[in-house]
Amino acid sequence: MRVFELALIIVNLIALILGPRNKSSKTILLGLTGLHWIALALHGAIEGFRYQMMFSYIFVILFTIYALARAAFKFPESKILKILKGFAIVLSVLSLALTCLLAYALPVFKLPKLTGSYDVGIQYVDLTDVKRLEPFLQGSAKKRELAVKIYYPASKDKAKPYAAYFHDSPELIKTFTAAYGMPDFMFSHLRLVQTHTQEGLPISDKQARYPVIFFSHGAGTNMEVHTSQCEDLASHGYIVVAVNHTYVSSATELSGGIVTDRDATVNFDQGDPREIVARIMADDVGSVIDKLVEMNTGTTDSIFAGKLDLGQIGVIGHSLGGAAAYDLALNDSRIKAVVNLDGSVYTVPKDKNRIDLS
């Protein structure tokens, strides 16, 4: 739990102990009410509200009503009132216990600290491969469109805020969550997670050029899931290009809206579908490399002009993305290194000399 969440729960518990006592004065009741609203305001302003703390928020409102009523009116002692008070206390204890459980089980976590010496900037780019039709849409004349997130070594700027997880997009989080058959609000708190990256930073001038690493996610996931790995690599002096493979990802945020893997209309019924999809993903990375060449030469306006060492390109992929990375590394001479994280192998090299078992 975060600091002000814990503070709010502690004030809730103190109020639960002192509030129901008949000997509690108006000053104590109103003081506890004030503490509640101060803790609530600080929590909301600094940390942000989230549904896991809902019962704590409700407790603040109900205790305020109770305290104001006790301060304004004198209630006669009766058996029914004692029963109602006891029921309210038990219900409050159970509700606050559930609040603590939810806040612990679904935390606003902190990403691991960067282990490199560079600050990290990010830039989101939508790219269209005019040479390829969209392979996941049956009979479509639409060109293949990709969302790309570029992490890069940057110059520090304390004035810029750190970027939120999942591009600070509630809709992206909802779509991502729904892909796993869960209520779309379940992971809404992810928007409160802060990354170690900042948008709009100038690229660092500590090096003339930076080697490039591509990152491909697995099927049914999203490039944002690998934020920690990517930003840490960038902190060590790499430009990391995370590719969100449209219709393979559970949710892809494009300029025209969010599309999902459930929106694909093609059924790959010849051969192994995973092999076909891995090949498409490898082609995606290959097309993004072509776009980086344009950025690097200045053909396309970019902050990365002259900053990309395209003679030093590596590829990392997870699961099906690992299969795609392996495929690309074997069959594209521009790739100098590859890491396949838990991915199968569906291809053989066109050039047998690309295999190095040393």
Side-chain angles (χ1 to χ4, degrees):
M1 294 178 68
R2 296 174 293 174
V3 173
F4 289 107
E5 288 178 348
L6 187 59
L8 183 58
I9 291 292
I10 290 172
V11 176
N12 290 159
L13 294 174
I14 292 173
L16 194 57
I17 294 169
L18 299 180
R21 293 181 178 179
N22 293 327
K23 294 181 180 180
S24 295
S25 66
K26 294 180 181 179
T27 303
I28 291 175
L29 291 172
L30 295 178
L32 287 170
T33 300
L35 281 176
H36 266 125
W37 287 101
I38 291 171
L40 185 65
L42 289 172
H43 160 57
I46 296 173
E47 298 174 334
F49 298 112
R50 60 186 182 120
Y51 79 87
Q52 291 89 346
M53 295 289 293
M54 176 179 62
F55 292 115
S56 180
Y57 305 153
I58 293 173
F59 184 91
V60 173
I61 296 170
L62 294 179
F63 184 83
T64 300
I65 295 171
Y66 169 77
L68 292 175
R70 278 277 306 272
F73 306 103
K74 187 173 182 179
F75 294 95
E77 283 296 319
S78 67
K79 187 175 181 180
I80 293 177
L81 196 61
K82 287 181 179 180
I83 292 173
L84 288 175
K85 188 183 290 186
F87 177 76
I89 291 172
V90 171
L91 186 61
S92 296
V93 169
L94 292 175
S95 297
L96 291 177
L98 180 59
T99 295
C100 292
L101 177 62
L102 287 172
Y104 175 78
L106 297 168
V108 179
F109 53 83
K110 291 184 178 180
L111 296 179
K113 292 181 179 180
L114 301 180
T115 59
S117 59
Y118 287 93
D119 288 279
V120 179
I122 52 168
Q123 185 177 95
Y124 285 88
V125 183
D126 274 8
L127 299 176
T128 300
D129 186 351
V130 296
K131 298 177 183 178
R132 289 194 297 157
L133 294 176
E134 177 51 68
F136 290 96
L137 299 179
Q138 186 73 46
S140 174
K142 185 178 180 181
K143 301 298 182 181
R144 180 73 167 155
E145 187 178 0
L146 300 166
V148 173
K149 184 178 182 181
I150 305 176
Y151 302 77
Y152 57 92
S155 298
K156 184 185 289 290
D157 186 346
K158 294 182 179 180
K160 291 187 179 296
Y162 286 98
Y165 201 34
F166 270 78
H167 204 184
D168 198 19
S169 172
E171 286 304 312
L172 183 62
I173 294 171
K174 284 181 181 180
T175 310
F176 174 77
T177 306
Y180 293 92
M182 294 180 286
D184 61 10
F185 67 85
M186 181 164 285
F187 294 137
S188 59
H189 63 287
L190 291 181
R191 66 184 175 80
L192 300 174
V193 174
Q194 192 178 76
T195 70
H196 300 296
T197 61
Q198 297 165 281
E199 290 194 68
L201 293 182
I203 192 166
S204 173
D205 58 3
K206 290 181 181 178
Q207 291 181 214
R209 296 186 302 162
Y210 296 92
V212 178
I213 296 176
F214 283 86
F215 201 108
S216 285
H217 59 77
T221 181
N222 183 282
M223 67 178 177
E224 300 290 352
V225 171
H226 301 283
T227 293
S228 183
Q229 291 166 294
C230 293
E231 65 182 20
D232 192 61
L233 281 168
S235 77
H236 286 273
Y238 296 96
I239 290 179
V240 182
V241 183
V243 180
N244 214 60
H245 300 278
T246 314
Y247 299 110
V248 180
S249 168
S250 58
T252 303
E253 194 173 38
L254 300 171
S255 56
I258 295 174
V259 299
T260 75
D261 50 358
R262 287 89 69 199
D263 297 325
T265 58
V266 169
N267 183 21
F268 299 113
D269 53 6
Q270 294 183 351
D272 189 336
R274 294 170 298 179
E275 180 180 353
I276 298 170
V277 174
R279 179 68 257 174
I280 293 170
M281 294 170 72
D283 290 342
D284 286 345
V285 176
S287 71
V288 176
I289 294 175
D290 295 337
K291 294 293 183 182
L292 291 188
V293 171
E294 296 177 7
M295 292 181 185
N296 202 39
T297 58
T299 305
T300 300
D301 185 39
S302 171
I303 66 169
F304 303 109
K307 287 291 187 178
L308 305 171
D309 184 354
L310 297 178
Q312 299 293 327
I313 298 177
V315 185
I316 302 174
H318 171 249
S319 191
L320 193 59
Y326 178 87
D327 184 330
L328 188 69
L330 286 181
N331 296 307
D332 190 326
S333 61
R334 295 176 295 184
I335 308 303
K336 306 305 181 187
V338 61
V339 178
N340 180 351
L341 301 172
D342 198 30
S344 299
V345 174
Y346 302 109
T347 189
V348 295
K350 298 170 187 175
D351 178 5
K352 301 301 182 183
N353 294 321
R354 291 284 292 167
I355 299 180
D356 181 3
L357 299 179
S358 59

